[in-house]
Amino acid sequence: MLKMPVATLAILLALTMPSFAEEAGQAYMKSMEKMNADMKKGMDPDATKAWAKMMVAHHQGAIEMSQTVLKETKDPMIREMAEKAVKDQTQEQTTLKEWIGKHGG
């Protein structure tokens, strides 16, 4: 049987598992790619409607990125800002969606 010190085994396991930084980076990239694709879908000949539609997608990207950082960060200022972003962006999305509904979006 192969004998390996516990510390060596722990290091090997750590090297084979993705770090949170990698996971967060992937989550951020996924959020941004989705946001960009959804913003393109919001294009409208009417500049006002286009802005409203694209901002809904933009806010969703901010919400998803905030949720990603909230999973890991311990920094109180970042946590407070991310929590505020989720709350504020969600409210703005609701307002924009209502406006879009009233204006034939």
Side-chain angles (χ1 to χ4, degrees), residues 22-70:
E22 290 174 15
E23 291 176 24
Q26 291 172 358
Y28 289 139
M29 288 302 296
K30 183 178 175 184
S31 295
M32 287 187 290
E33 288 169 1
K34 180 179 180 298
M35 177 185 69
N36 289 336
D38 289 346
M39 286 178 70
K40 287 178 185 175
K41 291 177 192 173
M43 292 300 295
D44 191 289
D46 180 288
T48 305
K49 289 179 183 178
W51 181 86
K53 292 175 186 178
M54 289 187 295
M55 287 306 291
V56 169
H58 186 265
H59 289 339
Q60 186 60 39
I63 290 166
E64 291 174 10
M65 286 184 271
S66 295
Q67 291 169 334
T68 297
V69 76
L70 285 169

Side-chain angles (χ1 to χ4, degrees), residues 5-100:
V6 174
T8 303
L9 182 58
I11 290 169
L12 288 174
L13 286 173
L15 291 173
T16 61
M17 297 176 68
S19 69
F20 180 78
E22 290 174 15
E23 291 176 24
Q26 291 172 358
Y28 289 139
M29 288 302 296
K30 183 178 175 184
S31 295
M32 287 187 290
E33 288 169 1
K34 180 179 180 298
M35 177 185 69
N36 289 336
D38 289 346
M39 286 178 70
K40 287 178 185 175
K41 291 177 192 173
M43 292 300 295
D44 191 289
D46 180 288
T48 305
K49 289 179 183 178
W51 181 86
K53 292 175 186 178
M54 289 187 295
M55 287 306 291
V56 169
H58 186 265
H59 289 339
Q60 186 60 39
I63 290 166
E64 291 174 10
M65 286 184 271
S66 295
Q67 291 169 334
T68 297
V69 76
L70 285 169
K71 289 178 184 175
E72 182 65 18
T73 191
K74 305 287 188 256
D75 186 285
M77 184 191 78
I78 298 300
R79 289 196 69 77
E80 182 179 331
M81 291 180 74
E83 289 166 355
K84 183 178 183 325
V86 170
K87 180 183 173 209
D88 292 350
Q89 301 291 314
T90 300
Q91 289 174 345
E92 288 187 23
Q93 272 187 321
T94 299
T95 301
L96 287 165
K97 287 176 182 178
E98 289 171 359
W99 184 92
I100 292 166

